Amino acid sequence: MIQLTIDTNKIKEARNYAAKIVNSLTWLLQDYTSTTIERTVLRLMGIDGIAGDNTPIPNLVVEHLQQKKVLNRGAAYWLANAIVAKNLSAQEVAELVATNQLDLTEISAQPNQKVLEILDKISSENLAKIAEQRQIRQQAFEKYGRRNKPAIYVIVATGNIYDDVVQAKAAAREGADIIAVIRSTAQSLLDYVPYGATTEGFGGTFATQENFRIMRKGLDEVGQELGKYISLTNYASGLCMPEISAMGALERLDCMLNDAMYGILFRDINMKRTLLDQYFSRMINAYAGIQIQTGEDNYLTTSDAIEKAYTVTASQLINEQFALISGIEHKNMGLGHAFEINPAIENSFLYELSHALLTHTLFPDCPTKYMPPTKFATGNIFRTYLLNGMFNFVGQITDQGTQLLGMMTEAVHTPHLVDRALAIENAQYVFNATKDFKNEFTLKPDGIINKRAKQVLEEATDFLRKVSEKGLFQAMSAGEFADIVRTETGGKGLDGVLPKSEDYLNPFMDKMKTELKLQ
Amino acid sequence: MIQLTIDTNKIKEARNYAAKIVNSLTWLLQDYTSTTIERTVLRLMGIDGIAGDNTPIPNLVVEHLQQKKVLNRGAAYWLANAIVAKNLSAQEVAELVATNQLDLTEISAQPNQKVLEILDKISSENLAKIAEQRQIRQQAFEKYGRRNKPAIYVIVATGNIYDDVVQAKAAAREGADIIAVIRSTAQSLLDYVPYGATTEGFGGTFATQENFRIMRKGLDEVGQELGKYISLTNYASGLCMPEISAMGALERLDCMLNDAMYGILFRDINMKRTLLDQYFSRMINAYAGIQIQTGEDNYLTTSDAIEKAYTVTASQLINEQFALISGIEHKNMGLGHAFEINPAIENSFLYELSHALLTHTLFPDCPTKYMPPTKFATGNIFRTYLLNGMFNFVGQITDQGTQLLGMMTEAVHTPHLVDRALAIENAQYVFNATKDFKNEFTLKPDGIINKRAKQVLEEATDFLRKVSEKGLFQAMSAGEFADIVRTETGGKGLDGVLPKSEDYLNPFMDKMKTELKLQ
Amino acid sequence: MSIKIDPTKIKPYGDSLDDGRMQISFALPAPADEKGKEAARLLLKKMGLENIEVCYYSDLGEGFTHFVAYVSTNATIDLTKIEVKTVDTPVMDLEETDKFMAENVKRKITVVGACIESDAHTVGIDAIMNMKGYNHRFGLERYQYFRTINMGAQVPSEELLAKAVEENADVVLVSQVVTQKNIHIRNLTKLIELAEAEGLRDKMLFICGGPRISHELAIELGYDAGFGSGSYATDVASYIAFHFAK
Amino acid sequence: MSIKIDPTKIKPYGDSLDDGRMQISFALPAPADEKGKEAARLLLKKMGLENIEVCYYSDLGEGFTHFVAYVSTNATIDLTKIEVKTVDTPVMDLEETDKFMAENVKRKITVVGACIESDAHTVGIDAIMNMKGYNHRFGLERYQYFRTINMGAQVPSEELLAKAVEENADVVLVSQVVTQKNIHIRNLTKLIELAEAEGLRDKMLFICGGPRISHELAIELGYDAGFGSGSYATDVASYIAFHFAK
Ligand code: B12
Ligand code: B12
Ligand SMILES: Cc1ncc(COP(=O)(O)O)c(C=O)c1O
Ligand SMILES: Cc1ncc(COP(=O)(O)O)c(C=O)c1O
């Protein structure tokens, strides 16, 4: 490997500030819940389907409890109470609530013992389903061999899940390791998860459990044919983070875009809401053995990639700490970064290389996720194809975990079948042709690359120190992140945040915490 | 710079064998002349134009002398004798001969003194023209700054000199440093140089003096506009090597494809003929300050680039020695090599890099000419564009003198306007983005790259030793070069080789030798 | 002699005048073999193209094949007859605009802007409106005679118009970057129809922008002006300044 | 449900069934601005294309501009009706051919080959004829029942035919690689016309090959067979073996 000459104490210092930032939020993560978390609990209890105006039943049940002002005891308790009282299944109870045939708060309180027993049973049964998916994945990797490194990650985004499957299968045949089904533009701000198979989306396809299932099936088919396990990923982001994670866990997604702060900064979602949601969301991913991936590339689509390189590093360190407290192991932390420097800059390639090496140096055990050039794509498909090649080169020689392939039609449209095939060919050529390049060279300690990496780490450390002193919320309110001002009471979804009551129940979180050895 | 760890004694050994090979050919180079050399002498005396069946007058005069069996005294003598006798200009005499109105052998021998005087005058005057062009070039470089390194070299090849000028000017505006007008497929086996402006060629445009002039004018125009000296090159190869060099010297070409052995191996031209022709041809280039460029890439279009890498090195060393005895300085030796390894081979990029570094290490003072991938171009223009980018990367980090840009439409057609523009954009991006890459790294002494370079040098040394023992002609007859069998008496153009008589005269060669300090 | 182009009959150019050469790349649901290649060739022929050279094909899986071809077209265009609607006010720099507005407008112009509906690509509108600007050109916020309110991403048309009314806006700026399935046309049309319905259309200047927006398209959709890729605050500021000077 | 393709009406595919999407790149003698872009758009429209998106343009100098566009075509092709002439003899490997010829041909077949006229690209014909072959398939020279004479580069048609007569050839192999301005068609036609004039056409098998040669084109030009890119000695040997077995 090409090694940076970086003082490990410097790294420790930065990491400590990040830990401090994250640990100061225990009050929020332990004492609050959100409507999304409660909907997730319902989904994990096996509740699915829609009612009325095509609204998902989990939403209807949670709205009911919110309206009755009893949600802070946890949806699990109310459901279990009704199940015990009525001797119905969770789904049956939920359907009655959703169709206004049952008021959960009107059912008399059942013996606590019984309620806990039924919750134990339901949660065990349903967590077992997730565990089973985890095992199927594990066995498949054992049978077919581990994922390539860098893994070839491509997106499909036709808007129509059936077209998506065609494109995904074709990509798998060409060599893709991970398929991401990009979500339709508007989904992340929906406070519910759409239902069923969908065939219309803009710049992406809606994330629904049925769509997950359809795609998983398609990939399992093609994977079997190829003798290779094809991974699937989607986006646990927006207003429904943990719900998507739960769906993904049940339908055997293998990775999940799941950033701790993306929603706050780039979707103007309330910070409490996002942080709560990501906490549970990541715990589910941890339990399901799903690799999370973070979105540090986003900083560089809005800010300059040289000037603001340190924001990437800082965010990676914060994301790492948030992931740790949710039980995600380093081997499942796909921390993000990107190749977004203006290609017209002298030595731009050296800076890109430096940044990628820094990421690798800070997170040697993480399957880092490397994002392609997008901002300086112009519609000149030939030039973009070349930029993608240079990006693939950096990915290979810096040992990235996942290479999200650039598309030559960046700045034009979401990828066509041909674009994706050419992107895979590009990566395969570069990866193979430069396979041992990284073992051939020693980096000069005082060169541009090392100097740059040191500078970025220093800037990140300074920044993290400042944030740790101020507190994360205050720093965000002061626009310290990506020049974007977000306040504790601003943003979407704050109305879905509520304190837990003393007798709050969430058997899934409890069990997962135990299994993941978290406090 | 990235440095190979190579024993300088090894390099010396290889170079000594090459010198031995070349020096054993003195008998040929000193005691023989060729029809082409004599035509060149006539051209240098100012003779031009066509007669009869569109045959160049130099050809008609030389044929006349050959027919009369007196060519071995040198065409210069016969012309001068007639000039003195008839008091006509060289051109006037030649026209009379060409139209069968004058038999040079029928003119009585004029006083030797007079003949030598007139030859001295004519050769001085005409060499002065070449010297003047050399000076114009030199002044332009002084005024506008030296050529970029790697110089961006692109070809134009429409078949029509006027289209060529449009394409060349556009290329210059986009950043080209050197324009090569590729020759029509069939020209190299013509035993004369076509005349005048031409508008029809296949895969190239005929090399004629008028075409040289038209293109030179176009490039001077656009160069002035851009504040940059745009270089022009063509091919001194085939059956008319020195004639083309003379035309190039007069019309201020700046580089010249001029390989010592290409004609023998790849055009089946007789070896004596080619070696004689290149000797004089290179002397003219040396005198004119024209950079020669060699064609080692050709070995790799017919043979495997890994298996036969040593043939490139061996040929470079032989070309160097031939260049030296013609008076070419290292700074004007554009020794060739190529990026032609099958891209599907693991670590192909490392081998390419190794080969390019080896060339740079052996010839640190030469503006080496690096040729793009062609053999493995498939018509997939996107892939080829990327391969060209990787090639440009190697060119930049190994400090090549001239980068002959690859075209994305290699394997499809000779470059369109768009292809060339995209190729230049490719090179400019890569050159700029990786500018200081070479100063960032130290090469591991025992890595793939160093090992490979050592192996190639060793193979080349062994090969050169064998050839030096056998003799060049014998080695060629045994198919040692590129598996191609060429015999001393085979190939085209042997009938144009003749021994000089005792009283042979070639004032141009004599003067140039003196000025170039050759024996 | 030299090559001569007739501007009334321009044609694509590969390497010889009027050769009509073009490069085409596409996928077909056809096999990756001679038959598929023939299908590709026939398709191009049916499109009226000539000298068809299918120079590459490759199996994409799932029954699709990628083809790359070079072809010649016979179509020509009369360049002298082409008219494009472009914003034709002169472009002034920041200082010039400040000065021009001080002399000719003499009051602050209120500008309300947003990325509307499903679109969250704020970089473009930020480039125009925010202090920092883009490529070393400051945004409208930095100008002396603009008061700017940038509402950011995914703003419903209704909210944008409400804000414009509330702030007594002179100018409404709308950005649309996502164009998949013409969603930008849909969104832009929705906004302008709402504005008309509410009687606001003629009370304010409506300007849209985005990478696939041209002035021509903007006019067609009922806007006053449109700005595409590579436009700067200077362009927009000058246009607005001249408008309110009249 | 899944996407369903109608083979009688296939169309280019971008990312949705029958979207007809294609990528086009070309140069026009037009300015690098909105007007040039409009010229490009109108040209594509005139070619019958729809949903034209000119996504990039760049100045090439000398009055030319490069355009990249995505467009939709309405053209469709009936895949079920396409017939291509392809060499349809089964392909055997070296040993199989040797055995087959031992049993069914029972004599050495003489093959004379060359790159004719202006063409000097010998790698292709060498790949077919010479011992070494290509991509781990030996050439005809290595086969038991072929006697091969490879004349190399730039052989005039007259010389090739003279040699064929002299050697009593059963098969003539011709390679053509350069296709600029259809020079390969010219050269191949010249050879076959000469062969006819000399009464040789039906006495020998005439086979041509090269990257732009298809069996179909070969037949059209009067040859017995044609082999394109990626053909091997195995293909040619099998074809010849079957021919002489009949
Ligand atoms: C950055 C970026 C993002 C960022 C946006 C961050 C942000 N805060 O803006 C993030 C990561 C969030 C993002 C998300 C998505 N993106 Co996006 N994104 C881009 C990207 C890489 C750059 C866009 C950009 O910032 N350009 C730089 C600015 C300065 O240029 P501009 O927008 O053209 O603006 C200039 C002019 O157009 C004009 N202008 C623009 N607006 C206005 C307004 C007015 C009034 C005026 C006068 C002028 C004007 O002036 C500006 C300065 O010159 C492009 C690809 C590309 N290279 O273009 C894809 C791209 C636009 N995204 C795309 C897609 C599909 C998405 C997603 C839908 C993906 C998904 N399914 O999740 C989401 C959707 C989010 C949403 N709801 O809209 C597609 C759109 C495809 C299409 N043609 O429809 C693109 C083209 C990428 C691709 N090839 O697929 N994206
Ligand atoms: C190598 C090469 C050369 C070498 C040739 C060396 C040699 N001894 O062959 C050299 C350097 C000499 C050369 C010179 C030129 N070349 Co060249 N060359 C190439 C190159 C890079 C590779 C060709 C090759 O060897 N392919 C590998 C072989 C194995 O493939 P193949 O020829 O297709 O053969 C296979 C099949 O077609 C078939 N086949 C071929 N022949 C036959 C015959 C029979 C009977 C059968 C059954 C099958 C068969 O079987 C083979 C095995 O599968 C191509 C670009 C490319 N990547 O294709 C350009 C290319 C062919 N050359 C080109 C040009 C223009 C030239 C020159 C004219 C340039 C110039 N102006 O100087 C000269 C002309 C020389 C001449 N008189 O012909 C152009 C042709 C453009 C066109 N479409 O017309 C190309 C496409 C490059 C380009 N993009 O411009 N070239
Ligand atoms: C971290 C992260 N999450 C999610 C998304 C998807 O966006 P949204 O959640 O708004 O659909 C992205 C898109 O780039 C992202 O980077
Ligand atoms: C060294 C050298 N000379 C000359 C040529 C041009 O070929 P010809 O002289 O046959 O026209 C080439 C072409 O690649 C070459 O490499």
Side-chain angles (χ1 to χ4, degrees), chain D residues 54-210:
Chain D
V54 178
C55 62
Y56 177 71
Y57 62 81
S58 157
D59 193 349
L60 295 173
E62 301 299 303
F64 290 92
T65 298
H66 175 207
F67 296 95
V68 179
Y70 279 81
V71 301
S72 297
T73 180
N74 274 324
T76 64
I77 286 295
D78 185 347
L79 196 56
T80 64
K81 294 250 171 70
I82 291 178
E83 277 184 44
V84 262
K85 291 197 191 114
T86 46
V87 174
D88 50 10
T89 43
V91 177
M92 304 178 287
D93 66 19
L94 187 147
E95 290 76 24
E96 289 166 348
T97 301
D98 280 351
K99 194 159 161 266
F100 178 90
M101 290 181 80
E103 286 163 12
N104 302 290
V105 181
K106 295 181 186 127
R107 68 172 177 96
K108 278 217 172 189
I109 297 294
T110 298
V111 181
V112 176
C115 262
I116 60 166
E117 302 294 333
S118 52
D119 209 311
H121 290 86
T122 52
V123 178
I125 187 120
D126 289 352
I128 304 295
M129 296 188 76
N130 294 6
M131 196 63 87
K132 193 175 152 198
Y134 185 57
N135 250 357
H136 313 294
R137 270 89 154 184
F138 292 118
L140 298 184
E141 203 179 340
R142 184 81 172 227
Y143 287 66
Q144 254 180 303
Y145 289 87
F146 287 115
R147 187 169 78 89
T148 59
I149 297 126
N150 184 347
M151 295 177 69
Q154 278 185 249
V155 178
S157 301
E158 295 80 357
E159 279 182 27
L160 173 57
L161 292 179
K163 188 68 152 191
V165 170
E166 184 189 323
E167 300 283 350
N168 222 330
D170 301 294
V171 184
V172 174
L173 296 184
V174 197
S175 182
Q176 283 290 283
V177 174
V178 179
T179 59
Q180 214 88 19
K181 306 203 171 144
N182 281 329
I183 181 109
H184 63 309
I185 310 276
R186 253 198 254 185
N187 291 342
L188 289 171
T189 305
K190 176 175 169 195
L191 179 85
I192 212 76
E193 284 177 354
L194 262 173
E196 262 160 21
E198 296 180 19
L200 297 172
R201 175 62 195 90
D202 296 327
K203 297 203 184 117
M204 301 167 185
L205 209 53
F206 280 82
I207 302 178
C208 58

Side-chain angles (χ1 to χ4, degrees), chain B residues 182-183 203 298 374 410 412-413, chain D residues 118 120-122 175 179-180 210-211 231:
Chain B
I182 296 297
R183 299 203 308 194
N298 292 288
T374 64
E410 183 61 46
V412 183
H413 52 230
Chain D
S118 52
H121 290 86
T122 52
S175 182
T179 59
Q180 214 88 19
S231 29

